[in-house]
Amino acid sequence: DGGITQSPKYLFRKEGQNVTLSCEQNLNHDAMYWYRQDPGQGLRLIYYSQIVNDFQKGDIAEGYSVSREKKESFPLTVTSAQKNPTAFYLCASSTGDTVNTEAFFGQGTRLTVV
Amino acid sequence: QKEVEQNSGPLSVPEGAIASLNCTYSDRVSQSFFWYRQYSGKSPELIMSIYSNGDKEDGRFTAQLNKASQYVSLLIRDSQPSDSATYLCAVKVIRDDKIIFGKGTRLHILP
């Protein structure tokens, strides 16, 4: 089945540790996105990538890093520099075409700092 | 000015009535517009996409776009309790392919 897979579903991190969230898609989409959602809030864009080996900062990139070495994969690293990392993280992908550009989401990773 | 604005709600609508959700956006070069539904603790799922001015209907859902007024809306006819969720408006801008979301409107369908 085609889709977007995020792992793990739940993740616990000690303060001061870096953690990497996985996002894989088999939809052959060019564009991929990472969003953060806090309770009762909308989605805020962290990073996005329109093509392999290229990515751009979103609105809240500080404390995060990404890579796009393969079309299918767009992992997000939450670094120790991120002061308040506890949140629901959502990965999405889209075709990147002029039309039919809707984004489809993975199931999300819920990160908790303990 | 925020890029995508929605009334946070909650919006309470009786079962069987029409629910009307509104969204305004600030970037005039916005190209594509989307409505997503999100249940608590779940990821957003796409309901409608609209790219040109006017109405677009899909089952009980109708999206309306007015680019001159920078306004997009979603109508849900014959509202059902299962429609109770948060509805997110999203906008894609031409110049950088970012997809920006509003904070969402919580909809509650009253049985």
Side-chain angles (χ1 to χ4, degrees), chain A residues 33 35 37 40-43 45 48 50 59 88 90 94 96-107 110, chain B residues 3 31-32 34 36 38 40-46 49 51 88 92 95-104:
Chain A
Y33 306 81
Y35 293 90
Q37 187 174 38
Q41 300 295 312
L43 278 63
L45 183 63
Y48 65 108
Q50 296 166 279
D59 300 317
F88 188 38
L90 289 157
S94 74
D97 293 338
T98 302
V99 293
N100 299 324
T101 59
E102 50 269 343
F104 296 95
F105 285 86
Q107 293 306 299
R110 197 167 298 277
Chain B
E3 293 188 64
Q31 175 186 32
S32 309
F34 313 103
Y36 288 83
Q38 186 178 28
S40 180
K42 302 297 185 182
S43 61
E45 55 181 328
L46 181 72
S49 58
Y51 304 100
L88 299 164
K92 184 174 184 179
R95 65 175 179 275
D96 57 14
D97 285 338
K98 289 168 64 173
I99 300 179
I100 303 299
F101 284 77
K103 290 189 174 183

Side-chain angles (χ1 to χ4, degrees), chain A residues 25-46:
Chain A
Q25 55 99 358
N26 60 4
L27 301 169
N28 199 33
H29 285 171
D30 287 313
M32 297 187 74
Y33 306 81
W34 274 106
Y35 293 90
R36 167 182 173 142
Q37 187 174 38
D38 293 285
Q41 300 295 312
L43 278 63
R44 292 187 289 168
L45 183 63
I46 304 173

Side-chain angles (χ1 to χ4, degrees), chain A residues 82-100:
Chain A
Q82 170 52 234
K83 298 305 180 186
N84 186 21
T86 295
F88 188 38
Y89 290 87
L90 289 157
C91 178
S93 70
S94 74
T95 61
D97 293 338
T98 302
V99 293
N100 299 324

Side-chain angles (χ1 to χ4, degrees), chain A residues 69-89:
Chain A
E69 297 177 0
K70 299 186 300 181
K71 188 175 185 178
E72 302 80 18
S73 178
F74 191 40
L76 173 73
T77 296
V78 184
T79 74
S80 57
Q82 170 52 234
K83 298 305 180 186
N84 186 21
T86 295
F88 188 38
Y89 290 87

Side-chain angles (χ1 to χ4, degrees), chain B residues 13-80:
Chain B
V13 173
E15 183 176 356
I18 296 175
S20 178
L21 304 163
N22 304 315
C23 173
T24 58
Y25 59 94
S26 59
D27 196 323
R28 289 190 172 274
V29 295
S30 296
Q31 175 186 32
S32 309
F33 307 87
F34 313 103
W35 283 101
Y36 288 83
R37 177 175 62 199
Q38 186 178 28
Y39 293 113
S40 180
K42 302 297 185 182
S43 61
E45 55 181 328
L46 181 72
I47 299 176
M48 295 281 288
S49 58
I50 186 166
Y51 304 100
S52 56
N53 281 326
D55 295 358
K56 178 181 177 182
E57 185 175 322
D58 184 2
R60 296 187 296 114
F61 299 97
T62 298
Q64 299 174 317
L65 175 61
N66 183 327
K67 290 188 176 182
S69 300
Q70 297 176 244
Y71 176 90
V72 58
S73 66
L74 179 70
L75 301 177
I76 306 175
R77 291 181 298 280
D78 188 23
S79 296
Q80 303 297 309

